[in-house]
């Protein structure tokens, strides 16, 4: 859009709009086309509200470790980032049994009903509050739909460093996930496995060995991102 | 309590970096360490490495990979080596010091020499014996250039005082003190006879390379010796060129099995069994691998010089992205290529064209083209180049490829993988270990020392990690390929005799 057009729509003097545009341009929120002189939304805006790390970058850095997790656990692996209270799947490794499976990269999963979602929400109070305010839909009888129950669970997730969902999204299925940190310690994603409760659970809770595989993979990816000093 | 579990390590000495991966008995990755080395560009077309820097990096990555898994050398049963092929090192037998920087396979300084060698007979002068056309790519012409241009080297090479090796030989020499190479690496020199698997006097005479400087040719997997120094006692038990190791790592053990590795360059290899298959479509005949005393397994190969390297160029020289994976983010900011095609003939065109006089073009430029379209064209260049090689291979093999097994760093790029499935019109499948050269070298070393009993055991480790299915309108596919081929035509005959 041009300055005159913007000033007309905002009902502001042209000089004021010009000043605002110059400020927005200096931080990359708008860009000016060199030829036409018109303004458009800038690249910096695209990065706001999404993860701190490009999802394609995250997938590339995590490729070996997510393969390794699938091989060790025998289950499918997903890596997700937080996207408006939901989990955006940026990487998916098939369950290593050569059965027919479809790639789910780009899918959105509910934040409160998946292990990855809980890991990501536990690290982002602002997103959690927004999600609770907009309501927590039930997918199964086990889905957490009460805001304070979710908040309490996220506290526990933060404390122990991993999360689980037991039949909270799909009856008969469970998932386990752990956070991926970047070099500033910021949670930039979650890595997790999912599969049938018969394989993932023991006595109603996630199997210890699977939890440790997931946490080791998360630590390995974080280490490659410079998030853990050892 | 001391655990009795043992591991196997492999070193992948690649074009851009050296990497060590430690695997367990289930062929799962235990730890990884990687260091990039410098590329030296003395002049346009010249690409060199510092062989000493690479050797130090290899020691460092092995040390770091062991440390990352809290292991010591004694926890390893063997070390396998896989390496960037054709890159040529000459060193002094007495001191072990290189007499010149290593000349990279990407280096095109030998283009005029290659023309001279072809003479009236043409670029297929040596093809019957070695399976390869004359091209700047292979080691033989690089050796000849060094003999002709580095003072004193020819005399000392004839006396056996200066030795030749590809990176496998260089590393084995430094590790074990033996001067040897494996059949897959030797097969890329243009000096080895494909039938006898030994140096060929006609080829040596034709290329002007003295036999005294050449390493002994050994199978791809057997115990070559034990390492000394900080790796003392570690058996070095395999060496394969990176693409051959990838073929092995993808468990392409049967005739007709094929894989493509996407890295700096990309390489499609198909197992053709125990007889060398001759190509009429510009593909290379090469040794796939040789297990100990068993007969060699041959392969057809189509190589593409610039794929990942184009993304790196886009990052480092154009600067529109900060890291290689960001190419996907930028490419996804637009719907299609906007009519723009990028043929990255930076060092000429390789298979199936083999035109060293070609140079890169960006075709179809209009005022509409944005950086997003350019990013698309960069990624699509890899897919279209693969399509050309697949068509050639289908022609030589007489059967149409039904699926493509892929590996290498670029398989992390989902947009590219989907694009590949779309333009090839076959499913594209990634196995659970993307670093198949490393895995293949570990498999080979593991077979040599009995860590794994046989190839069937190795095959049971192969699992599908991802699959992309074709989803493109056939008319659109045909139109895209037609435009691509027109763009390729525009790269030809660019280099002139008086070019600097």
């Amino acid at each position: 859009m041009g300055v005159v057009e913007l000033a007309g729509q905002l009902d502001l003097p042209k000089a004021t709009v010009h000043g605002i545009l110059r400020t927005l341009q200096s931080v990359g929120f708008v860009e000016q086309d060199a030829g036409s002189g018109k303004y458009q939304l800038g690249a910096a805006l695209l990065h706001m509200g999404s993860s701190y790390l490009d999802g394609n970058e995250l997938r590339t850095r995590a490729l070996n470790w997510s393969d390794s997790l699938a091989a060790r656990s025998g289950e499918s692996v997903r890596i997700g980032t937080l996207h408006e209270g939901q989990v955006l799947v940026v990487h998916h490794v098939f369950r290593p049994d050569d059965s027919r499976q479809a790639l789910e990269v780009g899918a959105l999963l509910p934040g409160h009903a998946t292990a990855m979602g809980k890991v990501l929400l536990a690290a982002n109070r602002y997103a959690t509050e927004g999600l609770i305010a907009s309501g927590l839909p039930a997918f199964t009888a086990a889905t957490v739909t009460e805001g304070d129950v979710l908040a309490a669970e996220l506290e526990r997730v933060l404390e122990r460093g991993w999360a689980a969902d037991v039949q909270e999204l799909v009856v008969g299925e469970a998932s386990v996930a752990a956070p991926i940190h970047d070099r500033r310690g910021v949670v930039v994603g979650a890595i997790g496995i999912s599969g049938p409760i018969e394989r993932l659970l023991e006595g109603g809770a996630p199997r210890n060995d699977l939890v440790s595989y997931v946490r080791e993979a998360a630590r390995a990816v974080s280490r490659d991102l410079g998030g853990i000093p050892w | 309590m001391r655990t009795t579990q043992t591991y196997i390590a492999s070193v992948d000495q690649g074009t851009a970096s050296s990497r060590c991966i430690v695997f367990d008995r289930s062929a799962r990755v235990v730890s990884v360490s990687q260091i990039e080395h410098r590329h030296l560009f003395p002049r346009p077309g010249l690409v060199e490495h510092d062989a000493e820097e690479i050797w130090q990096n290899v020691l460092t990555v092995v040390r770091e990979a062991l440390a990352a898994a809290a292991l010591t050398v004694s926890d390893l049963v063997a070390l396998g080596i896989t390496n960037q092929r054709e890159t040529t090192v000459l060193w002094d037998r007495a001191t072990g010091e290189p007499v010149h920087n290593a000349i990279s396979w990407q280096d095109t300084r030998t283009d005029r020499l290659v023309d001279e060698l072809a003479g009236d007979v043409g670029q297929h002068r040596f093809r019957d014996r070695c399976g390869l056309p004359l091209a700047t790519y292979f080691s033989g012409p690089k050796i000849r250039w060094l003999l002709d241009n580095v003072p004193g080297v020819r005399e000392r090479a004839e006396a056996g005082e200066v030795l030749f090796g590809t990176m496998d030989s260089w590393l084995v020499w430094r590790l074990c003190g033996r001067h040897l190479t494996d059949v897959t690496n030797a097969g890329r020199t243009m000096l080895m006879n494909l039938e006898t698997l030994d140096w060929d006097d006609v080829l040596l005479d034709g290329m002007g390379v003295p036999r005294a400087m050449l390493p002994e040719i050994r199978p791809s997997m057997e115990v070559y010796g034990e390492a000394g120094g900080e790796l003392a006692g570690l058996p070095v038990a395999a060496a394969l060129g990176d693409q051959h190791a990838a073929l092995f790592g993808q468990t392409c053990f049967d005739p007709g099995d094929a894989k493509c590795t996407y890295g700096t360059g990309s390489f499609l290899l198909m197992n053709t069994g125990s007889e060398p298959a001759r190509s009429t479509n510009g593909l290379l005949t090469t040794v796939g691998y040789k297990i100990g005393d068993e007969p060699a397994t041959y392969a057809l190969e189509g190589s593409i010089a610039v794929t990942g390297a184009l993304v790196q160029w886009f990052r480092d020289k154009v600067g529109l992205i900060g890291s290689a994976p960001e190419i996907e983010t930028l490419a996804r900011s637009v719907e299609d290529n906007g009519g723009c095609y990028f043929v990255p003939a930076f060092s000429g065109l390789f298979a199936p064209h083999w035109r060293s006089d070609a140079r890169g073009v960006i075709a179809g430029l209009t005022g509409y083209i944005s950086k997003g379209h350019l990013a698309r064209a960069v990624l699509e260049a890899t897919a279209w180049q693969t399509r050309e090689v697949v068509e050639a291979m289908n022609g030589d093999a007489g059967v149409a490829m039904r699926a493509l097994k892929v590996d290498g760093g670029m398989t992390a790029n989902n947009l590219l993988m989907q694009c590949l499935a779309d333009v090839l019109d076959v499913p594209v499948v990634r196995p659970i270990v993307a670093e198949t050269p490393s895995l293949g070298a570990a498999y080979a070393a593991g077979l040599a020392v009995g860590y794994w009993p046989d190839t069937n055991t190795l095959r049971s480790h192969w699992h599908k990690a991802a699959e992309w299915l074709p989803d493109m309108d056939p008319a659109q596919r045909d139109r895209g390929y037609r435009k691509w081929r027109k763009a390729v035509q525009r790269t030809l005959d660019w280099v002139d005799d008086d070019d600097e």
Side-chain angles (χ1 to χ4, degrees):
Chain A
M1 295 173 88
V3 178
V4 177
E5 198 184 348
L6 278 166
Q9 289 202 11
L10 294 169
D11 202 18
L12 286 170
K14 224 179 83 178
T16 307
V17 171
H18 195 75
I20 293 170
L21 282 171
R22 274 236 294 262
T23 305
L24 290 173
Q25 193 181 0
S26 71
V27 294
F29 284 2
V30 301
E31 289 171 356
Q32 187 178 18
D33 187 274
S36 65
K38 297 204 171 183
Y39 292 89
Q40 61 180 18
L41 295 180
L45 263 187
L46 300 176
H47 294 295
M48 280 189 67
S50 63
S51 74
Y52 288 89
L53 189 68
D54 185 309
N56 296 317
E57 178 95 39
L58 180 55
R59 182 191 319 116
T60 304
R61 305 285 283 270
L63 198 66
N64 280 329
W65 298 114
S66 43
D67 280 354
S68 176
L69 176 57
R72 294 176 82 186
S73 66
E75 303 295 343
S76 67
V77 171
R78 283 171 189 74
I79 291 178
T81 57
L82 199 58
H83 182 81
E84 293 166 0
Q86 295 185 294
V87 181
L88 174 65
V89 178
V90 299
H91 186 41
H92 174 195
V93 183
F94 289 171
R95 188 174 57 250
D97 60 6
D98 298 330
S99 64
R100 197 151 193 86
Q101 297 165 70
L103 213 55
E104 286 172 19
V105 174
L108 285 169
L109 303 173
H112 65 292
T114 56
M116 281 198 297
K118 290 179 194 176
V119 161
L120 295 167
L121 289 171
N124 193 324
R125 192 177 299 250
Y126 178 74
T128 307
E129 284 168 4
L131 185 66
I132 291 173
S134 68
L136 305 173
F139 300 97
T140 70
T143 309
V144 178
T145 54
E146 301 287 329
D148 46 354
V149 177
L150 181 65
E153 183 170 352
L154 295 184
E155 282 298 317
R156 280 198 303 279
V157 167
L158 204 56
E159 235 164 68
R160 67 184 182 184
W162 60 278
D165 110 64
V166 177
Q167 309 198 69
E168 292 160 51
L169 181 63
V170 178
V171 174
E173 287 192 9
S175 65
V176 178
I180 297 169
H181 301 269
D182 73 0
R183 67 190 136 74
R184 293 163 298 177
V186 176
V187 172
V188 292
I191 183 168
I193 59 173
S194 51
I197 51 173
E198 292 80 8
R199 287 204 301 263
L200 260 66
L201 305 185
E202 202 167 55
R207 278 165 46 195
N208 283 337
D209 57 338
L210 294 179
V211 170
S212 69
Y213 291 158
V214 169
R215 300 188 70 187
E216 282 167 25
R219 272 199 297 270
V221 177
S222 301
R223 203 159 43 230
D224 275 2
L225 295 174
I228 295 175
W230 35 269
Chain B
M1 197 181 81
R2 181 93 186 121
T3 68
T4 52
Q5 189 163 9
T6 53
Y7 301 87
I8 196 152
S10 69
V11 164
D12 179 358
Q13 200 302 296
T15 304
S17 66
S18 301
R19 170 174 21 206
C20 178
I21 301 186
V22 176
F23 295 92
D24 67 13
R25 203 181 289 267
S26 304
R28 297 182 296 213
V29 174
V30 175
S31 66
V32 183
S33 176
Q34 182 173 346
I35 304 178
E36 294 195 7
H37 53 256
R38 290 171 303 152
H39 276 58
L40 313 170
F41 300 102
R43 281 209 316 274
L46 271 56
V47 188
E48 299 179 353
H49 303 306
D50 177 351
E52 189 63 39
E53 175 188 3
I54 285 177
W55 160 245
Q56 292 301 332
N57 285 357
V58 165
L59 282 182
T60 304
V61 292
V62 173
R63 195 185 307 132
E64 288 185 354
L66 285 172
L71 299 173
T72 66
V73 173
S74 60
D75 294 312
L76 298 177
V77 295
L79 177 72
I81 294 170
T82 179
N83 57 287
Q84 56 169 322
R85 304 173 302 171
E86 296 104 11
T87 295
T88 297
V89 195
L90 263 52
W91 68 90
D92 185 303
R93 182 195 286 275
T95 66
E97 299 297 322
V99 302
H100 190 274
N101 280 332
I103 301 182
S104 165
W105 59 272
Q106 296 164 308
D107 186 293
T108 56
R109 79 185 65 197
T110 54
D111 51 3
R112 257 165 242 167
L113 173 62
V114 160
D115 284 346
E116 280 168 34
L117 288 166
D120 297 337
V121 191
Q123 69 183 142
H124 298 301
R125 179 178 167 196
F126 301 122
R127 193 168 188 133
D128 278 354
R129 287 172 185 271
C130 68
L132 310 172
L134 272 161
T136 59
Y137 198 30
F138 305 111
S139 311
K142 297 183 198 295
I143 302 173
R144 169 69 179 274
W145 186 92
L146 287 163
L147 294 173
D148 288 350
N149 288 278
V150 183
V153 163
R154 176 172 290 281
E155 294 71 29
R156 297 178 61 212
E158 282 166 357
E161 294 166 17
V162 165
L163 304 180
F164 153 76
T166 38
M167 295 315 295
D168 58 313
S169 298
W170 170 242
L171 295 180
V172 170
W173 171 266
R174 281 296 178 100
L175 284 165
C176 312
R178 290 189 67 193
H179 188 216
L180 53 83
T181 186
D182 96 297
V183 284
T184 67
N185 278 296
R188 313 295 293 191
T189 56
M190 302 197 73
L191 303 174
M192 187 186 81
N193 185 302
L194 267 182
E195 308 278 349
T196 65
L197 303 180
D198 198 359
W199 306 119
D200 184 302
D201 284 327
V202 173
L203 296 172
L204 295 181
D205 286 350
M207 199 69 72
V209 170
R211 192 183 271 265
M213 72 187 301
L214 300 178
E216 182 188 353
I217 301 176
R218 302 299 310 166
S220 315
M221 42 208 100
E222 66 171 21
V223 177
Y224 302 132
E226 285 190 358
E230 64 179 284
L231 302 178
L234 179 63
V236 179
L240 298 106
D242 47 13
Q243 300 316 317
H244 312 258
L247 187 75
F248 205 72
Q250 286 272 29
T251 65
C252 293
F253 301 141
D254 290 328
D257 289 350
K259 69 89 208 175
C260 192
T261 300
Y262 290 94
T264 309
S266 291
F267 301 88
L268 208 157
L269 270 76
M270 183 189 278
N271 182 325
T272 59
S274 56
E275 295 294 327
R278 305 293 174 175
S279 172
T280 56
N281 289 299
L283 300 176
L284 310 180
T285 307
T286 196
V287 183
Y289 52 87
K290 178 169 160 56
I291 304 176
D293 295 334
E294 294 177 27
T297 297
Y298 292 88
L300 275 174
E301 169 176 331
S303 31
I304 310 165
V306 179
T307 52
L310 181 58
V311 177
Q312 290 163 13
W313 175 85
F314 201 64
R315 177 194 65 192
D316 298 338
K317 301 286 177 71
V318 183
L320 283 174
I321 49 172
S323 72
E326 282 176 29
I327 189 88
E328 183 171 353
T329 313
L330 183 56
R332 282 189 192 276
S333 69
V334 294
E335 287 295 308
D336 55 34
N337 64 15
C340 177
Y341 291 80
F342 196 149
V343 187
F346 291 170
S347 307
L349 285 169
F350 289 14
H353 307 285
W354 297 104
R355 289 287 294 260
S356 52
D357 63 338
R359 288 297 180 268
V361 299
I362 303 175
L365 280 180
T366 61
Y368 171 72
I369 298 300
S370 70
K371 57 188 177 183
H373 297 120
L374 286 175
R376 281 258 170 185
V378 162
L379 288 181
E380 288 182 9
T382 292
W384 291 121
Q385 291 183 99
T386 306
R387 163 99 183 239
E388 292 184 316
V389 169
V390 167
E391 289 202 343
M393 201 157 280
N394 287 346
D396 284 332
V399 291
M401 182 176 291
R402 290 188 305 274
L404 183 63
K405 283 181 175 179
V406 296
D407 53 62
M410 282 183 103
T411 60
N413 191 311
N414 279 343
L415 182 61
L416 172 60
M417 292 299 106
Q418 183 59 52
C419 181
L420 258 183
D422 287 344
V423 309
L424 297 179
D425 199 20
V426 296
V428 169
V429 186
R430 180 175 83 82
I432 207 148
V433 175
E435 302 304 340
T436 50
S438 296
L439 181 62
Y443 278 169
L447 279 185
V449 298
Y451 188 62
W452 289 297
D454 52 38
T455 53
N456 277 335
T457 307
L458 302 181
R459 201 181 256 127
S460 70
H461 295 149
W462 193 94
H463 295 296
K464 192 187 289 183
E467 183 172 35
W468 292 267
L469 300 174
D471 179 25
M472 187 186 234
D473 170 47
Q476 190 190 346
R477 177 184 302 124
D478 292 345
R479 199 164 52 240
Y481 193 42
R482 187 179 71 230
K483 288 291 185 197
W484 167 262
R485 284 189 295 190
K486 286 171 83 167
V488 168
Q489 287 307 310
R490 280 152 180 76
T491 66
L492 303 177
D493 193 27
W494 181 258
V495 177
D496 296 319
D497 286 343
D498 60 352
D499 283 352
E500 286 293 316

